[in-house]
Amino acid sequence: MSSDTHKQLFKKINPPTKLFINNEWVDSEDKSTFEVIDPTTEEVICKISHAKQADVDKAVSAANKAFPSWSTKDPLQRASLLNKLADLIEKNASLLGELEALNNGKCKCAAIGYDISQSANVFRYYAGWCDKLPLGEIVPSENGFQVLVTRQPIGIVGAIVPWNFPFMLTAWKIAPALCCGCTVVIKPSEVTPLTGLYLGLLLVEAGFPPGVVNIVPGFGNTSGEAITSHKDIEKVTFTGSTVTGKKVMVSAANSNLKKVTLELGGKSPNVVFDDCNFEEAVDGAAQALFLNMGQNCCAGSRLFVQESIYEKFLASLKQRVSNIVVGDPLDENVNKAGESGKIVNGPLVNKLQFEKVLGYINKGKSEGAKLLIGGDRKGNRGYFIQPTVFYDVTDDMTIAKEEIFGPVLSVLKFKTLDEAVERANKTVYGLAAAVWTTDLKKIHEFMQRVKSGVVWANTYNIVKYNAPFGGVKATGFGRDLGKDALFEFFTTKTVVSKL
């Protein structure tokens, strides 16, 4: 597709480009804007209103005004609105998928089949919780007293969303918050704000009251800092890098010690034993890393393969990776390939990430890792990088230690389960891990010993909206999804009554 075709698609969709505050589309106070770039063409898509402190103050004021009525609203009415929003997301799935492909670079088929689909499911799941929330319990006490433990919505929530799964992670953040009766101020990434802003149109169409959800795109040091330091915001939920997560914690602590949930970086181990289902493991290793061009916090970027099948596995992996289709995320043939089951990759999200990943590829070469396939940019326009695999990687190499967040896989050789577990845990991160074996005993031992928030056995990247997702160590704390996420948006009060 040509750059003109991309521009025509943007004009056809005509997404909002202003701030969404109190159910109204408004310019930023100082009328400032920033550019949004199409990663396929490297051209400007549009300019977006840039929220700063004064704009965040307005959004928080609107959320504060809406909180009393929203937090006490009939739970079934909240559920009805969440279900209506899910319906509208499904109705507009194709449009949202096109917009995500245009702005983020992921292929339209992947955006529709995964991101948008799961977003609708997340809103429906939490709609089902609205009238079943664990709001209180009576705990045992001596005669003469009644002890009641109650849970109440925490208040205004600041949700800071990354650029790798823009729409889906917005749903992860705000669906449980709205279910619990909180109001929300969202900061979509300045790199990928378009689907987050389009959500504002769907919220109004669904019938959400003014101020319940507000959307203020901007940069980390503008609207992001304004949210994390705002003294009327009681909770921040953040997904992003560990470096930025630490800054969020400091800002939250220095303002009003607001509650924080952090889902941060990862360097996830994917361990393949010689008694695995070989073809499934090869396919799983490719899917684990190259989903979303490797721009995935739980990407299986460290592939440990047992030495007895190491050479055979490399040969099959090379063939599998060579079949990955890389191209325009809106191209019909690329998307047909994705729909047929092939791995499809678009460009990386922006120039900064593109150059960073190429830097890691050069670092792998200079530190002595052997190149199995790929290793360079693809084409001469757009932020496309060849799917890249290094082998004979050692634990001390940069590409084995640092989160790359791109289509670069490191393959390492191991001998025993004990060695695999020890090396798998040799990272500051702890989001996900996987094991491939037909031995149930190995699965359970690995599951118990590996330090991560999510473990997959003979599969990868299976994230369920009704199960908690999050990590340990430098990956952060708190959980998205499932019942566990609800408790991130409550404050607990103990009431003791003399009878």
Side-chain angles (χ1 to χ4, degrees):
M1 297 179 75
S2 67
S3 60
D4 286 342
T5 305
H6 279 225
K7 290 176 182 177
Q8 289 167 7
L9 178 61
F10 177 81
K11 289 180 180 178
K12 177 184 174 183
I13 298 172
N14 191 28
T17 58
K18 296 185 178 183
L19 314 181
F20 182 70
I21 298 175
N22 208 35
N23 279 16
E24 296 180 351
W25 299 102
V26 297
D27 291 319
S28 56
E29 278 287 296
D30 63 2
K31 309 298 181 185
S32 62
T33 61
F34 60 88
E35 293 181 341
V36 175
I37 307 297
D38 181 340
T40 302
T41 66
E42 302 182 44
E43 297 177 357
V44 175
I45 302 173
C46 63
K47 293 183 178 180
I48 298 290
S49 292
H50 185 178
K52 297 178 183 175
Q53 183 69 59
D55 306 297
V56 172
D57 287 344
K58 281 186 175 181
V60 172
S61 177
N64 192 43
K65 184 177 180 180
F67 178 74
S69 60
W70 181 254
S71 61
T72 56
K73 197 175 191 67
D74 184 326
L76 291 179
Q77 292 181 13
R78 287 207 300 266
S80 176
L81 289 169
L82 290 170
N83 277 319
K84 286 179 182 177
L85 183 57
D87 290 341
L88 288 169
I89 290 169
E90 289 185 337
K91 179 182 177 182
N92 291 275
S94 181
L95 179 152
L96 290 166
E98 289 173 338
L99 199 55
E100 205 77 294
L102 192 66
N103 189 187
N104 168 274
K106 69 178 65 191
C107 293
K108 176 185 173 181
C109 62
I112 295 172
Y114 186 65
D115 300 42
I116 309 305
S117 173
Q118 191 182 92
S119 298
N121 289 337
V122 167
F123 280 110
R124 282 214 175 86
Y125 172 74
Y126 286 107
W129 268 110
C130 285
D131 64 343
K132 306 172 189 67
L133 293 172
L135 295 179
E137 58 187 329
I138 295 176
V139 300
S141 178
E142 66 271 27
N143 290 337
F145 292 93
Q146 181 189 71
V147 180
L148 175 64
V149 178
T150 66
R151 298 180 185 91
Q152 298 173 323
I154 196 167
I156 303 170
V157 173
I160 302 177
V161 181
W163 48 253
N164 57 333
F165 292 93
F167 195 82
M168 186 180 77
L169 292 185
T170 299
W172 285 23
K173 301 297 184 190
I174 73 169
L178 295 173
C179 167
C180 292
C182 299
T183 54
V184 185
V185 177
I186 307 168
K187 189 198 92 66
S189 169
E190 68 277 10
V191 180
T192 55
L194 296 184
T195 52
L197 285 168
Y198 202 92
L199 177 66
L201 293 176
L202 304 184
L203 289 162
V204 172
E205 188 175 349
F208 278 78
V212 172
V213 179
N214 306 273
I215 307 169
V216 286
F219 290 79
N221 61 358
T222 54
S223 57
E225 173 65 21
I227 287 171
T228 59
S229 65
H230 205 291
K231 293 187 178 181
D232 290 332
I233 291 178
E234 298 291 346
K235 158 80 181 183
V236 167
T237 174
F238 170 82
T239 295
S241 72
T242 297
V243 170
T244 305
K246 291 178 179 180
K247 294 178 181 178
V248 169
M249 283 191 69
V250 170
S251 180
N254 287 340
S255 52
N256 58 341
L257 277 174
K258 57 177 60 67
K259 189 176 181 179
V260 177
T261 295
L262 301 174
E263 196 270 279
L264 309 174
K267 195 68 181 174
S268 300
N270 192 12
V271 179
V272 179
F273 286 93
D274 58 10
D275 61 352
C276 67
N277 182 313
F278 188 84
E279 293 302 325
E280 286 187 4
V282 172
D283 185 66
Q287 295 279 0
L289 190 283
F290 295 104
L291 172 75
N292 205 42
M293 296 74 75
Q295 298 170 137
N296 185 2
C297 51
C298 58
S301 54
R302 291 186 298 148
L303 176 61
F304 293 91
V305 180
Q306 199 158 24
E307 63 176 359
S308 57
I309 60 168
Y310 185 76
E311 298 298 333
K312 178 184 177 183
F313 200 94
L314 286 176
S316 294
L317 181 64
K318 182 177 181 180
Q319 180 60 44
R320 182 71 178 88
V321 173
S322 71
N323 290 329
I324 294 174
V325 176
V326 181
D328 187 320
L330 288 162
D331 181 82
E332 184 179 355
N333 291 327
V334 172
N335 284 285
K336 282 183 178 178
E339 290 165 357
S340 72
K342 287 189 175 182
I343 300 174
V344 289
N345 277 190
L348 271 66
V349 74
N350 64 5
K351 184 178 181 179
L352 180 66
Q353 190 64 18
F354 173 76
E355 293 178 343
K356 175 185 172 184
V357 172
L358 287 177
Y360 275 114
I361 289 173
N362 290 332
K363 179 71 72 171
K365 294 174 181 177
S366 67
E367 292 185 357
K370 297 176 182 178
L371 190 63
L372 183 69
I373 190 171
D376 206 345
R377 75 175 297 169
K378 182 177 175 63
N380 55 18
R381 188 179 75 155
Y383 305 125
F384 296 92
I385 291 181
Q386 299 169 355
T388 298
V389 180
F390 285 102
Y391 68 104
D392 288 357
V393 177
T394 57
D395 294 335
D396 60 342
M397 291 181 179
T398 302
I399 59 172
K401 294 189 297 184
E402 297 183 11
E403 184 177 39
I404 299 172
F405 228 63
V408 182
L409 176 61
S410 297
V411 188
L412 308 93
K413 188 189 299 182
F414 77 95
K415 293 182 180 181
T416 67
L417 185 147
D418 285 342
E419 178 195 346
V421 172
E422 180 183 354
R423 294 171 65 192
N425 288 334
K426 195 176 180 181
T427 174
V428 297
Y429 300 111
L431 180 53
V435 57
W436 299 82
T437 175
T438 55
D439 186 336
L440 192 60
K441 184 178 179 182
K442 281 182 190 172
I443 291 173
H444 281 275
E445 184 169 353
F446 181 85
M447 176 186 69
Q448 291 294 331
R449 294 172 60 187
V450 73
K451 296 177 181 177
S452 67
V454 178
V455 183
W456 289 296
N458 298 316
T459 190
Y460 209 97
N461 281 328
I462 304 301
V463 178
K464 298 293 187 179
Y465 54 81
N466 56 355
F469 183 87
V472 297
K473 300 195 289 186
T475 295
F477 48 81
R479 291 295 182 266
D480 291 318
L481 302 180
K483 180 180 178 179
D484 290 51
L486 297 171
F487 296 97
E488 304 291 339
F489 301 99
F490 285 134
T491 183
T492 301
K493 179 183 294 184
T494 300
V495 179
V496 181
S497 300
K498 186 176 181 181
L499 301 178

